[in-house]
Amino acid sequence: MKALVYVGLKPGVLDPQGRTIARSLNDLGFGEVESALQGKVIELDLTGDDLTAAEARVVEMCEKLLANTVIENYRIEMRAE
Amino acid sequence: MKALVYVGLKPGVLDPQGRTIARSLNDLGFGEVESALQGKVIELDLTGDDLTAAEARVVEMCEKLLANTVIENYRIEMRAE
Amino acid sequence: MARKQSEITPEIVAEHGLSVSEYEIVLDRLGREPNLTELGIFSVMWSEHCSYKSSRRHLGKFLTTGDRVIQGPGENAGVIDIDDGDAIIFKMESHNHPSFIEPYQGAATGVGGIMRDVFTMGARPIALLNALRFGEPDHPKTRTLVSGVVAGIGGYGNCVGVPTVGGETNFHKGYNGNILVNAMCVGLARADNVFYSAAKGVGNPIFYVGSKTGRDGIHGATMASAEFDDDSDEKRPTVQVGDPFTEKLLIEACLELMATDAIIAIQDMGAAGLTSSSIEMADKGGVGIELNLDKVPQREPNMTAYEMMLSESQERMLMVIKPGKEQLAFDVFEKWELDVAQIGKTTDTGHLVLKHHKKKVCDIPISPLADDAPNYDRPHTKTAPRPVLNAADIHETQDYNDALMRIISSPNIASKRWIWEQYDRHVMTDTVDSSQSGGDAAIVRIHGTNKAVAITTDCTPRYVEADPYEGGKQCVAETWRNLTCVGADPIAITDCLNFGNPERPEIMGQLVGAIEGMNEACHTFDYPVVSGNVSLYNETNGQAIPPTPAVGGVGLIPDLHKFATLSGAKSGDTLILIGE
Amino acid sequence: MQTAVIRFPASNCDRDAAVALEKLTGRKPLIIWHRETELPAGVGFVVMPGGFSYGDYLRSGAIASRSPIVQDIKAKSERGLAVAGFCNGFQILTEAGMLPGALMRNKNLKFVCRPEKLTVTHSNSKFTSKYEAKSEVVFPVAHHDGNYFADKETVGRLEKEGRVLFRYTDNPNGSVNDIAGIVNEGGNVFGMMPHPERAIDPLHGGTDGIDLFKSILETL
Ligand SMILES: Nc1ncnc2c1ncn2[C@@H]1O[C@H](COP(=O)(O)OP(=O)(O)O)[C@@H](O)[C@H]1O
């Protein structure tokens, strides 16, 4: 099983990385870029095969470690493969 | 339009971050985590409405800035909204 | 050993960088054809990088002894005595090519590698310096290279927690296609607790410690050979990624184990990791080595013996442990959360024997690998002297303000603050003077004492280009002056000789000239070379870099009540010019 | 007074902190490994040192903040134990929820190392009592993730309650309101990005940091 955990900044939190990316893309001639946000994807390989149970555990992992909920949101995607 | 760009290390490239994350999840009692990989997601807000043309430009952005193609792969997802 | 007669074709030999005559020697010493793993091992041991085959006979001319020299060239780094039982261990090394390909990781792993050379010998790294040469500022690649290299050096050194206290940065079109990234590390040890690489004794356990082995940095030949590529859809990157976190743990763990008497010999796995480290340890100790590759911690599935032996994965060490101390070693490394495994033992066979999946995959005598390495006397032509400029032919400027503005705005003269502000210069709280003051040498206190070492790196390539002998002298003399300027007694140097293709007589002439000039300065000042590194083939499309023998000097300030710095001048002070 | 410095994998200012504490208390601090589960009895002041615990992987300070010893320190701090975190230590304290807010990547995305001028906002705290209010001090900074962020409401509270103790005069990292150092509600847990422990020696970084240590040590 795999879990994909997407972690991004909450709306309203200034994203210096995203801003710099947007600006550098503009500088490189990509004027169509209005803004950019940078987030993380963490791909976990998990033992077991109960997707629902595993997802509940991944939520726990996010709350305990993977996301800093003061500034970040997360979203989980489970895959059977 | 939005473009989601996923950037991750090529297979075989050392991912110290992923390794450290997996180990600390194990320490926190999540023994089911066998391994972790950490990647980036960059979300771009783009002007215009021609998805195909825009995607070609995003490929260019990846090659020029967003991904370090010596060690990273990327994948693009376009969204109309 | 089962092998097909046709396994090693001339093409495969050539892909491994061995000449026809070099391969003849391999056949002669083995008395048979090598298998691919064995060929790979010969090829890396006899590479320019490991064997110094073009420079060895010339390096042999250097003054390498002196009152304060505890260990000269030949070990991982040089060791000098700074009184009171303290020793300084230092070396400089290049990571030019990898930094051009991937500036951040190339520079970062360069810093990691030079630190391992130093702590391998029992020293806690206390200072880092870096000598950088880039192409013209407006060359399209320069900006990315500079920012990547600087971020990589900082990223690694800052994380490990060793202050980066100085360096130099030049820009010149001669480096457009070949930048130079030379990193120097200085460490502090007790003189009676220095560790060497000779694997003495038979039957002693060999430990592998650090990161797992992956397929990093395995070069060309494997790529071409489908047999070694499981998933050929993905061309394997040859770039290594640095992990400063693991390096920091390695330093602490090694120093902790070194404080006990558990280690007989230790060697870091640098270029050609497991191959050169095991062979150097065995050769120096006059023993054989047997490794069971199944025990090697592996990051990827299905690695072959060839791949494991040639992998350049970073942050790995090999050591010979005293029998009976195995558990102690395991405990220390496990406490620091490092991968550790006992992968073999020393033997009395004088051979390197490798086992993999219960089969013997390599059995070669060690002495030819080390002793019979090629040692060329490459033809060299002396650089034609350039006419001396006649001062009278140079017109006086009409506008001194303009001249001054042009000088201070030149990238080579302008402040390098943008660079060194990204380096933690203060961690360890013993930095007395660093890049920040712009002084001629950095000053780092010996922890808990009132003495310090002064450290500098210098080289002026255009002098060396004009006259390698005089330029070589000048590089050494400049470090001497810079150390003296801060109030230190210069003790010894390390160097990094960056040149073009040595198979071209004019390039070889630059190398020989520079070495001889440097050596004259060393003799004049009684200022020996205790370690160094050679980086050749720095050229693109037949265009070589300017000859760049970077020199790193170390001196002692016995009493920190007496040293000089640039800061502190007040208006109204008297300026005095000394010298011609 | 017995003090302690917590050592995480890849802490690198643990020695710096220990030297400062020994110099100012005359007694060697205990060096406590992160896997310990309990702070030894009698420890009155704990320093979370700077460095790159766990390589700063995932987020600076995140993994270290989940280690066993931090849970014990957190519990004891709720009962008044004095704790200070410098640089990575500050990041660990915010990640552990012992101080509000978070430290994000510097605004210009670069590591910055330089002596930094700070204003001591007031001297009515356990960590600043030896300074004159509004005085200027110089501490070195050396960080990549020092950009202090908290939501408006939190920042408002910090300001109103006088919990911002140090402010940058020339903001090096984009921190909101130029915040360099803050305390918790109880006034006993303090964190700052600059390094006072690197400012206790005239040969290295000046001596402006001494009064910070003296302030807190005096209360114990
Ligand atoms: N790459 C670098 N890393 C660290 N410090 C550097 C680097 N390049 C230059 N410096 C520092 O900047 C200061 C000025 O350097 P430089 O312009 O070479 O002057 P000088 O030739 O007088 O030494 C020196 O203190 C030097 O250590």
Side-chain angles (χ1 to χ4, degrees):
Chain A
M1 265 184 318
K2 264 194 198 333
L4 291 171
V5 178
Y6 298 91
V7 183
L9 289 173
K10 286 188 175 166
V13 178
L14 185 75
D15 174 13
Q17 267 145 319
R19 241 192 19 192
T20 306
I21 291 172
R23 194 176 315 155
S24 332
L25 285 173
N26 293 157
D27 284 352
L28 287 173
F30 299 102
E32 70 264 47
V33 177
E34 297 197 302
S35 68
L37 282 174
Q38 178 169 325
K40 278 184 279 216
V41 210
I42 299 158
E43 190 181 317
L44 301 172
D45 261 320
L46 303 169
T47 53
D49 47 18
D50 179 344
L51 279 181
T52 329
E55 178 159 1
R57 296 271 290 172
V58 177
V59 169
E60 233 186 291
M61 296 178 206
C62 289
E63 293 287 333
K64 279 207 177 142
L65 180 70
L66 299 179
N68 177 347
T69 50
V70 175
I71 47 171
E72 293 171 330
N73 284 330
Y74 61 88
R75 184 166 62 76
I76 298 168
E77 226 177 274
M78 300 298 297
R79 297 210 184 144
E81 28 136 11
Chain B
M1 267 187 313
K2 265 196 197 330
L4 289 171
V5 178
Y6 300 89
V7 182
L9 288 171
K10 288 186 178 174
V13 176
L14 174 72
D15 177 12
Q17 312 224 34
R19 220 197 37 190
T20 308
I21 292 170
R23 195 175 301 180
S24 65
L25 285 172
N26 293 158
D27 276 356
L28 288 173
F30 299 103
E32 69 265 45
V33 177
E34 297 198 300
S35 68
L37 283 173
Q38 178 170 325
K40 276 186 288 212
V41 209
I42 299 157
E43 191 181 317
L44 302 172
D45 261 321
L46 303 170
T47 54
D49 47 18
D50 178 345
L51 278 182
T52 328
E55 178 158 2
R57 295 272 290 174
V58 176
V59 169
E60 235 187 287
M61 296 180 206
C62 288
E63 294 286 333
K64 282 207 177 137
L65 181 75
L66 301 179
N68 175 353
T69 52
V70 178
I71 51 175
E72 292 172 332
N73 283 333
Y74 60 88
R75 188 167 60 76
I76 298 169
E77 229 177 271
M78 300 297 298
R79 297 212 183 143
E81 31 139 3
Chain C
M1 221 175 302
R3 92 194 120 77
K4 296 182 293 298
Q5 205 52 36
S6 57
E7 192 176 46
I8 307 299
T9 63
E11 291 73 42
I12 292 182
V13 173
E15 275 166 10
H16 280 79
L18 287 173
S19 68
V20 173
S21 60
E22 286 167 352
Y23 187 57
E24 289 295 322
I25 307 176
V26 174
L27 292 176
D28 178 67
R29 298 301 189 272
L30 280 182
R32 61 178 168 84
E33 227 181 57
N35 62 32
L36 203 48
T37 303
E38 292 168 334
L39 180 76
I41 290 174
F42 271 99
S43 88
V44 296
M45 287 307 292
W46 289 5
S47 68
E48 190 66 59
H49 190 90
C50 288
S51 73
Y52 292 92
K53 58 190 170 192
S54 302
S55 58
R56 200 150 86 233
R57 64 182 58 236
H58 302 289
L59 296 175
K61 298 170 190 165
F62 273 138
L63 171 70
T64 58
T65 55
D67 292 346
R68 287 187 178 272
V69 177
I70 297 175
Q71 173 66 52
E75 282 285 341
N76 285 299
V79 186
I80 56 173
D81 181 350
I82 56 157
D83 301 331
D84 317 305
D86 293 321
I88 287 291
I89 302 189
F90 66 103
K91 189 178 181 217
M92 176 150 52
E93 198 159 77
S94 64
H95 229 214
N96 303 336
H97 190 60
S99 304
F100 188 75
I101 308 267
E102 209 311 278
Y104 185 98
Q105 296 298 344
T109 51
V111 173
I114 192 62
M115 269 196 277
R116 282 194 298 285
D117 276 334
V118 164
F119 74 76
T120 299
M121 297 195 70
R124 176 173 286 283
I126 59 169
L128 290 165
L129 290 89
N130 57 103
L132 311 177
R133 323 273 159 191
F134 297 104
E136 295 158 295
D138 47 13
H139 185 272
K141 291 205 78 160
T142 301
R143 193 172 274 271
T144 323
L145 289 170
V146 175
S147 56
V149 164
V150 169
I153 290 173
Y156 206 100
N158 300 342
C159 177
V160 170
V162 177
T164 301
V165 296
E168 47 178 343
T169 314
N170 288 168
F171 299 88
H172 184 277
K173 65 176 185 318
Y175 303 104
N176 279 352
N178 296 83
I179 61 169
L180 301 183
V181 175
N182 296 172
M184 174 171 172
C185 178
V186 178
L188 174 66
R190 292 299 291 170
D192 60 3
N193 202 34
V194 175
F195 287 79
Y196 297 96
S197 54
K200 296 201 192 71
V202 167
N204 293 332
I206 295 177
F207 272 57
Y208 170 116
V209 184
S211 290
K212 290 184 169 64
T213 296
R215 290 184 171 98
D216 318 67
I218 302 169
H219 295 287
T222 33
M223 308 259 170
S225 154
E227 185 184 346
F228 287 100
D229 219 349
D230 325 306
D231 40 343
S232 33
D233 54 323
E234 194 70 63
K235 220 178 178 231
R236 292 202 175 276
T238 56
V239 172
Q240 307 127 42
V241 169
D243 178 8
F245 171 50
T246 296
E247 179 102 338
K248 169 70 175 165
L249 303 183
L250 259 185
I251 295 182
E252 298 304 332
C254 287
L255 292 176
E256 191 170 317
L257 191 62
M258 283 163 167
T260 72
D261 68 339
I263 299 175
I264 296 174
I266 173 165
Q267 173 80 31
D268 81 292
M269 294 191 220
L274 207 43
T275 295
S276 62
S277 56
S278 57
I279 288 168
E280 274 169 38
M281 288 213 302
D283 178 55
K284 290 205 177 107
V287 298
I289 271 191
E290 188 177 309
L291 301 180
N292 178 356
L293 296 179
D294 301 324
K295 297 265 174 71
V296 170
Q298 292 159 53
R299 198 171 81 224
E300 297 179 69
N302 307 323
M303 289 190 66
T304 63
Y306 181 103
E307 290 170 328
M308 273 186 257
M309 292 309 286
L310 267 62
S311 161
E312 296 196 342
S313 291
Q314 301 287 301
E315 292 95 19
R316 301 179 300 160
M317 312 283 277
L318 199 64
M319 48 193 91
V320 181
I321 297 291
K322 277 193 187 150
K325 301 282 184 185
E326 293 91 338
Q327 196 52 49
L328 176 64
F330 277 119
D331 289 347
V332 169
F333 294 124
E334 277 160 10
K335 167 184 159 191
W336 288 98
E337 303 179 13
L338 292 161
D339 277 300
V340 50
Q342 187 174 331
I343 63 166
K345 58 177 191 296
T346 56
T347 64
D348 60 3
T349 61
H351 280 226
L352 174 70
V353 175
L354 302 177
K355 298 205 170 133
H356 192 214
H357 300 325
K358 306 222 157 51
K359 283 206 299 269
K360 201 191 265 188
V361 293
C362 162
D363 185 351
I364 40 184
I366 282 165
S367 67
L369 277 170
D371 306 343
D372 297 346
N375 180 353
Y376 294 126
D377 189 2
R378 298 209 189 269
H380 46 94
T381 50
K382 198 162 178 258
T383 307
R386 291 197 190 166
V388 174
L389 277 184
N390 185 354
D393 296 343
I394 298 169
H395 301 295
E396 187 180 341
T397 178
Q398 296 307 305
D399 184 348
Y400 278 95
N401 286 340
D402 172 61
L404 184 64
M405 286 305 282
R406 276 174 31 211
I407 291 173
I408 60 181
S409 61
S410 133
N412 286 315
I413 302 289
S415 165
K416 309 299 187 300
R417 176 179 177 149
W418 179 85
I419 293 175
W420 49 252
E421 249 187 19
Q422 298 182 53
Y423 301 154
D424 190 338
R425 305 175 300 283
H426 309 136
V427 62
M428 300 184 91
T429 56
D430 284 308
T431 306
V432 174
D433 211 9
S434 67
S435 316
Q436 196 168 309
S437 79
D440 287 298
I443 301 176
V444 178
R445 179 171 52 194
I446 302 305
H447 193 66
T449 72
N450 193 40
K451 63 184 178 184
V453 282
I455 317 162
T456 180
T457 68
D458 294 288
C459 177
T460 310
R462 74 195 142 86
Y463 292 161
V464 188
E465 191 166 34
D467 184 336
Y469 187 83
E470 291 301 322
K473 263 164 56 179
Q474 193 274 340
C475 299
V476 175
E478 187 172 348
T479 65
W480 173 274
R481 280 197 304 273
N482 283 339
L483 296 176
T484 311
C485 273
V486 300
D489 304 324
I491 297 179
I493 62 170
T494 181
D495 65 70
C496 198
L497 306 176
N498 307 277
F499 289 81
N501 180 352
E503 292 161 45
R504 285 169 44 197
E506 65 278 18
I507 300 289
M508 203 54 212
Q510 292 177 334
L511 176 63
V512 174
I515 288 177
E516 289 174 351
M518 289 167 68
N519 193 36
E520 186 191 328
C522 291
H523 276 280
T524 305
F525 298 129
D526 190 17
Y527 189 35
V529 178
V530 296
S531 60
N533 170 248
V534 179
S535 168
L536 302 176
Y537 298 96
N538 292 292
E539 53 180 73
T540 303
N541 304 329
Q543 191 60 48
I545 56 158
T548 314
V551 178
V554 175
L556 176 66
I557 298 176
D559 177 0
L560 267 177
H561 295 110
K562 297 173 197 143
F563 72 94
T565 154
L566 266 191
S567 48
K570 297 183 293 294
S571 62
D573 284 352
T574 307
L575 278 178
I576 299 174
L577 178 67
I578 304 173
E580 282 180 51
Chain D
M1 166 47 47
Q2 183 62 64
T3 59
V5 177
I6 313 304
R7 197 173 196 205
F8 301 94
S11 289
N12 64 31
C13 304
D14 42 342
R15 189 182 80 180
D16 304 357
V19 167
L21 289 173
E22 185 176 355
K23 184 165 172 165
L24 293 163
T25 63
R27 187 165 165 191
K28 274 197 183 349
L30 302 175
I31 304 292
I32 309 221
W33 186 238
H34 70 119
R35 293 235 179 244
E36 298 292 328
T37 49
E38 208 177 327
L39 204 61
V43 170
F45 178 45
V46 175
V47 173
M48 302 279 196
F52 282 73
S53 57
Y54 290 96
D56 271 2
Y57 298 151
L58 190 62
R59 297 179 307 277
S60 305
I63 299 178
S65 73
R66 273 63 171 176
S67 61
I69 193 69
V70 175
Q71 311 323 309
D72 185 55
I73 293 171
K74 184 175 181 179
K76 290 186 169 135
S77 74
E78 280 154 17
R79 284 174 265 133
L81 174 70
V83 180
F86 307 130
C87 201
N88 194 223
F90 184 21
Q91 295 160 344
I92 294 171
L93 293 177
T94 57
E95 278 283 348
M98 294 168 68
L99 287 172
L103 280 313
M104 313 212 350
R105 179 85 355 147
N106 292 349
K107 197 169 139 201
N108 73 356
L109 306 186
K110 289 194 175 59
F111 189 95
V112 58
C113 174
R114 66 185 194 209
E116 201 64 66
K117 275 195 198 127
L118 310 173
T119 323
V120 183
T121 53
H122 64 82
S123 49
N124 308 322
S125 87
K126 286 185 177 177
F127 293 88
T128 54
S129 59
K130 292 275 175 201
Y131 293 101
E132 299 248 344
K134 308 269 183 289
S135 58
E136 205 169 71
V137 293
V138 176
F139 293 175
V141 300
H143 58 246
H144 209 162
D145 297 318
N147 183 352
Y148 183 76
F149 173 87
D151 58 42
K152 270 213 173 71
E153 194 196 319
T154 309
V155 173
R157 268 190 57 201
L158 286 172
E159 294 288 3
K160 201 170 107 233
E161 294 168 8
R163 287 162 54 193
V164 175
L165 300 188
F166 292 88
R167 240 186 263 282
Y168 301 111
T169 61
D170 178 17
N171 193 335
N173 51 32
S175 289
V176 57
N177 286 16
D178 301 323
I179 290 174
I182 56 170
V183 276
N184 68 346
E185 260 184 289
N188 61 317
V189 176
F190 169 71
M192 80 184 318
M193 284 314 293
H195 286 276
E197 83 284 17
R198 295 188 187 179
I200 56 153
D201 180 345
L203 267 185
H204 173 96
T207 52
D208 288 354
I210 290 178
D211 283 340
L212 189 143
F213 289 96
K214 282 194 172 157
S215 300
I216 181 66
L217 289 167
E218 195 187 61
T219 68
L220 304 172

